[in-house]
Amino acid sequence: MYRGTWLHPWDFTGYTIERIAKIGFNHVSMAVRYFEERQDWPGPNIIFQNPGRRAYTAEENAVYWDADGNRYSHLPPYLRPERSREAKGDIVERFVNACEENSLKSVLWFPTLRWEKAVRDDIGVGMKDVYGSHPGYKRMFLCPSNPLVREALELMVEELSEKYDFDEFEFDFIRYPEVPSTHGTPLLSLALSPCFCKYCQERARDYGVDLEEVKRELKELVEWHVDYLSNTPYCTDEDYLQAVHSELARFLLEGDLVKKWIKFRAEVIADLLKDLSKIVRRNNPGAKVTADLYPPSGSWLLGQDYKTISKIVDGVKVMIYTKPFGKSVCRIPYESRLARKLLGKKLLVIGLASWPPMTPEDIEREFRLVLSSPADGVGFYSYGWTPDGNLLTIERLFREVGT
């Protein structure tokens, strides 16, 4: 059984990996680069497993390996990996060695397209909506069609896979961003989805999609919502939600142009994942390649097609965070069975939240739901954010199920 946890580099200390092994985990994913984030939401703003630093705001787009500056010197400064100023030394090397010493599988966790600082420095490398604006706020993504972006990512994956003898390479944020539309509808979120930059337009033409035509159709949807939301109360009752999701289904069934655009975006993401995976396998043929994916019921909105991705990677981790985000635990059996249907026999790991407001009782309930599903394992996000009571529950559950 795959038993994993995610680890932030600033929580990695001399005894961290040893303790993770004693709890019963057999895989540890450590971020090799990261973005600006603080653990204040949706958690309690406390790092439970770092006594030296109970609160931390991550550096923007820092990398945690000894990056060779010459390799990236021809790239724009905002696309070059910047070594962490706070976490000193080659943490990736120390991490891989510590995992080997403790008989744990080392996983290099690589947040791929989420890169706020670069997009703020040059919107030209970021995704653009139908109005030429980036669709996210504090969650800004690079465009996978941009040749400079692809080169920067390829060079980083190449360096990591050449330098370190890891067991697994895990691609995260290899998708389009969620579109914040709290008081809108699923159709409005779709209409504001990216990307319509010049590089996507060039690729779409080769694919047989006219993005200008798609843009016109999506702008009509936006204008319809301008009128609708100006004259309608905001509703959240079940009957209303059924109606707006049924309208999304009707629109997609009838809209061949938008369906082709959605398929094109999935091809763009899959193409990037395929290229990066080839680099990993060429330099470290013994390593597994995995991807962190959105739950399959909504992944298509973000450019992640499970069937296509299953042909590229060795396994998939589906993030299903329930209580902290106000989601139903029923999503665990539903999404895991849907994912299994789409992935075939590929490795399927369910990613669960383990930080407050999750309690030991919540941890046990969700773990047993995973056991009763067709998944091959579980991952808990994240080690540093998890209080001792929850870790003790995880340790007990791992002992009960054995290997």
Side-chain angles (χ1 to χ4, degrees), residues 59-229:
E59 300 167 84
E60 262 194 334
N61 303 306
V63 304
Y64 298 93
W65 76 91
D66 189 15
D68 176 12
N70 292 328
R71 190 184 292 247
Y72 310 94
S73 59
H74 63 288
L75 293 173
Y78 47 80
L79 284 177
R80 299 174 196 165
E82 297 182 13
R83 279 179 273 180
S84 170
R85 296 181 299 277
E86 298 185 10
K88 304 297 183 182
D90 193 330
I91 298 179
V92 174
E93 182 178 42
R94 286 162 45 202
F95 165 74
V96 171
N97 291 339
C99 286
E100 184 177 6
E101 291 168 3
N102 289 276
S103 301
L104 286 171
K105 299 293 186 182
S106 56
V107 185
L108 301 196
W109 166 26
F110 188 77
T112 311
L113 290 172
R114 184 175 172 185
W115 199 316
E116 289 86 355
K117 187 175 185 297
V119 178
R120 284 201 305 274
D121 287 350
D122 181 5
I123 185 63
V125 297
M127 298 185 185
K128 295 182 179 180
D129 63 18
V130 292
Y131 297 100
S133 182
H134 195 283
Y137 170 64
K138 291 189 175 180
R139 281 179 170 255
M140 304 184 83
F141 283 57
L142 299 169
C143 176
S145 295
N146 187 304
L148 279 176
V149 167
R150 293 180 71 100
E151 183 178 5
L153 296 172
E154 288 168 1
L155 287 173
M156 282 187 279
V157 172
E158 181 181 67
E159 183 176 26
L160 286 162
S161 56
E162 285 177 352
K163 292 180 72 170
Y164 306 105
D165 189 21
F166 52 85
D167 296 294
E168 178 185 327
F169 202 98
E170 176 183 358
F171 291 99
D172 193 8
F173 290 102
I174 190 155
R175 57 176 174 81
Y176 294 88
E178 307 98 322
V179 176
S181 183
T182 307
H183 302 292
T185 72
L187 268 178
L188 181 58
S189 295
L190 178 66
L192 294 174
S193 295
C195 178
F196 293 87
C197 75
K198 64 179 182 180
Y199 300 105
C200 282
Q201 292 191 31
E202 291 170 5
R203 291 188 69 172
R205 278 196 294 271
D206 295 337
Y207 192 79
V209 176
D210 183 347
L211 283 193
E212 288 300 319
E213 188 178 355
V214 176
K215 189 188 296 186
R216 285 193 294 271
E217 185 160 341
L218 295 182
K219 280 186 174 181
E220 288 181 9
L221 278 179
V222 175
E223 292 305 315
W224 186 91
H225 279 82
V226 169
D227 178 66
Y228 159 69
L229 292 171

Side-chain angles (χ1 to χ4, degrees), residues 346-360:
K346 289 295 175 76
L347 175 75
L348 171 60
V349 177
I350 304 302
L352 301 177
S354 55
W355 72 90
M358 294 292 290
T359 65

